[in-house]
Amino acid sequence: LDERVMNIADEAASGTLLSRSDIMYLLRFDAYSAEAAYVCARAREVGMRACQGRGYVYAQIGVDSTACPENCRFCSFAAVNTDLAAYDSSQVEVPLGRIIHYAKLFDEAGVSLISLMATAGLSFERYLDMVRAVRTSISPETEIMANAADLTLEQAQNLKEAGATVAYHALRLGEGGITDIRPIDRRRTIRHLRVAGLPLMTGVEPVWDGVDPLVLSERICDIADFNPFCIGACSLTEVKGAAVGKLRPALTGFVRYVGALTRLACGDKVPVGGIGGVAWV
């Protein structure tokens, strides 16, 4: 084993957070190497300590299928990936009664959190109505995660008042290049969520094969700076007809390795995710 890798991982596991140069060095090693296995093992220790050995089950409901103007090229709902000539605009919203039905099923099954995921094409007022309706239909202790478009501070506060208790938002890899979203808008929304009192779940996404280590290390460091309560890493997913050019999904082992590096970058101050702690349904 590379001695420097072991030292970096050991120090991180004992509470010294990873620097960007540390991450860059660890990214030199193949995700299926003995060094990566050592890093993942130490990250798992930190993750289990952070969540105190407790696991959570989170659920997600997609509330609409609007052709989205933000044009994330990897997303099937991006307007650039949608055949607008064949698009039935009357079928883009899931009926509110159906959303409530599924929210109740998840709540009765005992999930810890229900995410309501919307495209940026859904109006904020309609989304707010959905959050309010779900809040009044499920147990008060069940968390509601808002996962929608970029927000003003007032909108973030409105979501909190409507019953959202946490939020998902991420500054993605390639933001502004493979999406039509300005990175500054993503960062601003994350600040708004913090001011509004909505704890943040975020992650490194979408990880593709051959992603630039400089960009990847920067994004991993961002995660720690965002002060989230839950973290993760997500691979690029191949969607038929998506305009991602030559980009291809990263191997599962590499995404797992990115999750481990993200956990070590955040330490045990983040209670959930990034190696251990949560599963999605």
Side-chain angles (χ1 to χ4, degrees), residues 58-62 106 113-117 145 147 280-281:
Y58 292 172
Q60 181 160 285
I61 301 171
F106 283 134
L113 175 152
I114 298 172
S115 170
L116 300 179
M117 186 175 187
M145 176 179 282
N147 186 348
W280 284 88
V281 295

Side-chain angles (χ1 to χ4, degrees), residues 99-122:
I99 294 170
I100 293 171
H101 169 75
Y102 282 115
K104 287 181 175 179
L105 285 180
F106 283 134
D107 189 42
E108 291 165 4
V111 302
S112 302
L113 175 152
I114 298 172
S115 170
L116 300 179
M117 186 175 187
T119 72
L122 183 70

Side-chain angles (χ1 to χ4, degrees), residues 51-72:
C51 69
Q52 300 180 343
R54 178 178 177 181
Y56 297 86
V57 178
Y58 292 172
Q60 181 160 285
I61 301 171
V63 299
D64 76 304
S65 57
T66 311
C68 184
E70 302 289 18
N71 283 324
C72 302

Side-chain angles (χ1 to χ4, degrees), residues 128-174:
L128 204 60
D129 289 342
M130 294 170 180
V131 172
R132 289 194 189 99
V134 171
R135 180 73 284 165
T136 59
S137 303
I138 62 174
S139 307
E141 64 270 16
T142 301
E143 305 270 14
I144 293 179
M145 176 179 282
N147 186 348
D150 282 303
L151 301 165
T152 65
L153 176 56
E154 182 181 9
Q155 287 173 329
Q157 292 168 333
N158 288 342
L159 280 174
K160 178 77 180 292
E161 292 168 3
T165 51
V166 296
Y168 186 89
H169 212 66
L171 174 61
R172 278 81 61 88
L173 293 164

Side-chain angles (χ1 to χ4, degrees), residues 37-88:
Y38 188 84
V39 170
C40 287
R42 296 315 308 264
R44 179 173 174 77
E45 292 174 22
V46 178
M48 292 303 288
R49 185 167 71 238
C51 69
Q52 300 180 343
R54 178 178 177 181
Y56 297 86
V57 178
Y58 292 172
Q60 181 160 285
I61 301 171
V63 299
D64 76 304
S65 57
T66 311
C68 184
E70 302 289 18
N71 283 324
C72 302
R73 306 304 193 272
F74 47 80
C75 178
S76 61
F77 298 129
V80 293
N81 293 333
T82 302
D83 182 359
L84 294 177
Y87 201 71
D88 184 352

Side-chain angles (χ1 to χ4, degrees), residues 232-252:
C234 180
S235 176
L236 178 76
T237 299
E238 288 188 296
V239 175
K240 185 177 180 180
V244 292
K246 297 180 179 180
L247 298 184
R248 293 294 176 266
L251 294 174
T252 301

